[in-house]
Amino acid sequence: MIRSWSIWISSWGSGTAAVYCARPQHPEAVSPPAPAEERRFSDVDITTLAGRLPGGTVVTDPDILAGYRQDRALDPAAGTPAALVRPVTTEQVSTVVGWAHSNRVPLIPRGAGTGLSGGATAQDGALVVSTERMREITVDQVTRTAITQPGLLNAEVKRAAAEHGLWYPPDPSSFEICSIGGNAATNAGGLCCVKYGVTTDYILGMQVVLADGTAVRLGGPRLKDSAGLSLTKLFVGSEGTLGIITELTLRLLPAQPQQSTVVATFPTLTAATTAIDAVTARLRPSMLEFMDAVAINAVEDEMRMGLDRTAAAMLIARSDAPGEYRTLEAGLIAAACDGATEVFRTEDPEEGEAFCAARRFAIPAVERKGTLLLEDVGVPLPRLGDLVTGVADIAERHQVLISVIAHAGDGNTHPLIVHDPADPDETARAQQAFGAIMDLAVSLGGTITGEHGVGRLKKAWLPAQLGPEAMDLTHRIKQALDPHGILNPGALL
Amino acid sequence: MIRSWSIWISSWGSGTAAVYCARPQHPEAVSPPAPAEERRFSDVDITTLAGRLPGGTVVTDPDILAGYRQDRALDPAAGTPAALVRPVTTEQVSTVVGWAHSNRVPLIPRGAGTGLSGGATAQDGALVVSTERMREITVDQVTRTAITQPGLLNAEVKRAAAEHGLWYPPDPSSFEICSIGGNAATNAGGLCCVKYGVTTDYILGMQVVLADGTAVRLGGPRLKDSAGLSLTKLFVGSEGTLGIITELTLRLLPAQPQQSTVVATFPTLTAATTAIDAVTARLRPSMLEFMDAVAINAVEDEMRMGLDRTAAAMLIARSDAPGEYRTLEAGLIAAACDGATEVFRTEDPEEGEAFCAARRFAIPAVERKGTLLLEDVGVPLPRLGDLVTGVADIAERHQVLISVIAHAGDGNTHPLIVHDPADPDETARAQQAFGAIMDLAVSLGGTITGEHGVGRLKKAWLPAQLGPEAMDLTHRIKQALDPHGILNPGALL
């Protein structure tokens, strides 16, 4: 599943390793009925669409379609799409969606296919609408905004911004391989969120094609705009169920300053969570990451960098405060780790990067022990310790190895459930643990997904988190915007 | 209209002076029909509601009701509500809305009544639901969040946060007299937005009562949460048309560092806008405010502080960068003002505050010349110069005095239209100018309201900004969430 180790090292920590061998089933899950008006694709003639688009836009080659059945969640329930459509412009997306609307053909919007929750799982007879060829971007330095098509990779957006001395902060772990449109669809997060917030905080406007093919322009390059409902924000995180985003107006910041790095190891989990709380209550680290004992040892097994194998937990924090204050803030972070066995600080970017590499390497290192089910639950920070100990209980109860790494500063954890897909019993226990961790997060006032989205794999757990009132509200909005249910049916709801 | 000068001095710059003597009419405006199912209040018996609430919650005293007919927009089209309801809990709000739903009675949600767009204009027979008695707040230092009821004033939220060493950034000009619930309902802005964003960026969750009386809890104290649609964000800025917010979960930051201040005067408008662009392209000022020649002279008339009366424009910028970097950043801001006649820098907080007071004093100073119509249009920054010169053309064409002050860093301007309400002809010309400025902003790719909201006064201009597709989307969401149209009918739509 991993393209190469260099991607693992250069991308960041979590996000692309999930290999699901069966779609996790909530104990009380009931498969939703197919949309009432859905028609079999064989009833309609794809050439009536292809004829309205430039040659090569509609693809029906089975070998190519096979690569568009699943995203990185590898949902085993994936079907085979009838066609892949790769539009280049908003107008072409409108044509596709309008055609699908008229013919009641389900659409599966797809970015770069790096999703981890099955948001882009195809179904038999559907059209997969890939934004991969929509790759134009313009950056305006004065308004500090970029207008981008959705198919650019996050890293490409960052690079385009950097050419103007600007910075697009959100940094999902998969930033080198995930698309900015997919980031918007899932309201993606990353490492910098503890200081800089998530994707929605950087989206000022968009163009989106609605379920009937109408293209709508929302918001624009204005930091302040109170005119009308906050429609732009509604589409962020809607996972392709309300419309297909064809253009984004992004807010940018000046280039990130250099960072100082603090690494601390702790004899107990409590000592680590105490330090996390002490940091977040007073300081603004640009990164605050957590690794448990399993992750520390897995990394040390592979990298032999002298990490403390006896430590219960390790924190890696950074400060990007401007000027001299960076050193002072790093010192304050170090001082907040007063329960640590050892605290190391460095101003040297390369040395700091080496420690970040240890964190980044945690997932592939743990993966050496078996295939991973990658969780994404979050809790309010004071409950982080309860979550980590609760996950340990779940591991023991289900007899599977689980390592916890976390974007600790915002309470977003990635428990890594190790299992052998060739062992059906262990796989079943891993699946049960996957669900039990979501149940635990919800019971602690948390979320079943901090940054990956609900997709198809987690939707059975969504009602427990949102409650019946918010679910009803969700259904009403879905019904109002996509009455025939052609947009990404089966995802989220 | 002004409660006292001390409020003007201590509150900030703009926002509470609007005195509208007639509701501005868009040339093509058509009055919307009353909701089909609306019933006359006399048909229903208010005692059936009062009996379900604690004594004193429902008020029908005409003398008290008179004070709840209008907000600060003083909309002359305001009717007289049949009753005022002042609930204390979410459950009581549910009771009120559920009763209104059953009886098809329109509800006018109201915060502190400081709105400037007629968002809380009452109508005959409606219930005004005031959140003024919902005043509880708890602050959690570790998660850096506050859970607050909507009736607290913005300044009270800031003070509660400050007691824990924390800071709630959004700072509308009326922060000492406006409520946090009203801020959420309008997605309010302020001075710090150029660096710190607007209200929606600080709202992580809420409890909201829907049109049928159902209370829904959305989001929570988690910086990252990708579970389900972004419903929290949809209600921010919805101006009471989708639900009544009864609780907010706010994201807080560590206390703001001390600020350095830079003041620059410019011989031409172009020199000033060039400096604004140079600052925003590279730096992150914590404030970047603009005053035109009319405002400078009006302030100097009153304060005699030696401002350059010949200047075409003045900028007041601040840096709150941590530590020593603040001085450096202030120097960079000063250097960016290379077309200025004079640049003054100070690290002294009191001296800096004195210059901010000049900006703050601009509205009451201009108001000495006549009653003000206060605009709130925004444009992308590169069009700021075009907006200011276009407003000057409008002033000449309509033969009214207009002064422009602006939150320049985010392109949000407050043209102040001076007129004499006793002169019907001048008042009509002022109204025409008010609309012409919105038309101009839209033609420049801007917004009819940056931070005040649409309410009833600006709704005739909303379709021109949003376009028919976004308006249709807005209507569909309104219909899905409030099918009987009882929530703030006549506002926004």
Side-chain angles (χ1 to χ4, degrees), chain A residues 41 156 165 342 349 379 408 448 451 467 491:
Chain A
F41 196 81
E156 293 173 323
E342 193 179 2
V379 287
I448 60 172
E451 54 185 10

Side-chain angles (χ1 to χ4, degrees), chain A residues 144 222 225 236 280 283 445 447, chain B residues 144 222 225 280 283 445 447:
Chain A
R144 287 213 301 249
R222 302 173 291 268
D225 190 348
V236 179
T280 57
L283 304 169
T447 177
Chain B
R144 287 213 302 248
R222 300 173 293 268
D225 191 347
T280 57
L283 305 169
T447 177

Side-chain angles (χ1 to χ4, degrees), chain A residues 304-321:
Chain A
R304 310 281 176 198
M305 57 193 294
L307 302 180
D308 179 0
R309 287 183 177 277
T310 68
M314 184 164 114
L315 294 181
I316 306 166
R318 304 188 97 174
S319 167
D320 69 351

Side-chain angles (χ1 to χ4, degrees), chain A residues 142-144 186-187 190 193 222-226 230 236 280 283 322 325 382 407 410 412 445 447 449-451 476 480, chain B residues 142-144 186-187 190 193 222-226 230 236 280 283 322 382 407 410 412 445 447 449-451 476 480:
Chain A
V142 171
T143 57
R144 287 213 301 249
T186 55
N187 193 16
C193 306
R222 302 173 291 268
L223 189 55
K224 282 178 178 166
D225 190 348
S226 288
S230 301
V236 179
T280 57
L283 304 169
Y325 189 75
H407 309 307
D410 45 36
N412 179 207
T447 177
T449 173
E451 54 185 10
R476 280 153 68 187
Chain B
V142 171
T143 57
R144 287 213 302 248
T186 54
N187 192 18
C193 305
R222 300 173 293 268
L223 189 54
K224 281 178 179 167
D225 191 347
S226 288
S230 302
V236 178
T280 57
L283 305 169
H407 309 307
D410 45 36
N412 179 207
T447 177
T449 173
E451 54 185 11
R476 280 153 70 187

Side-chain angles (χ1 to χ4, degrees), chain A residues 218-241:
Chain A
L218 304 171
R222 302 173 291 268
L223 189 55
K224 282 178 178 166
D225 190 348
S226 288
L229 298 179
S230 301
L231 298 173
T232 302
K233 300 286 189 189
L234 176 63
F235 285 92
V236 179
S238 64
E239 303 195 33
T241 63

Side-chain angles (χ1 to χ4, degrees), chain A residues 315-402:
Chain A
L315 294 181
I316 306 166
R318 304 188 97 174
S319 167
D320 69 351
E324 300 296 319
Y325 189 75
R326 181 176 68 244
T327 311
L328 177 60
E329 187 169 63
L332 293 170
I333 293 171
C337 297
D338 59 357
T341 312
E342 193 179 2
V343 182
F344 176 78
R345 277 175 58 191
T346 177
E347 297 297 316
D348 181 68
E350 282 189 27
E351 202 168 28
E353 197 51 42
F355 278 96
C356 292
R359 161 63 184 82
R360 213 174 277 156
F361 193 66
I363 293 182
V366 174
E367 200 176 29
R368 294 291 177 95
K369 300 180 184 304
T371 298
L372 299 185
L373 266 170
L374 200 156
E375 259 292 5
D376 175 42
V377 295
V379 287
L381 266 189
R383 311 310 297 271
L384 185 60
D386 295 337
L387 181 76
V388 176
T389 54
V391 168
D393 290 344
I394 289 169
E396 193 177 333
R397 199 158 68 244
H398 294 279
Q399 290 292 297
V400 284
L401 178 67
I402 307 179

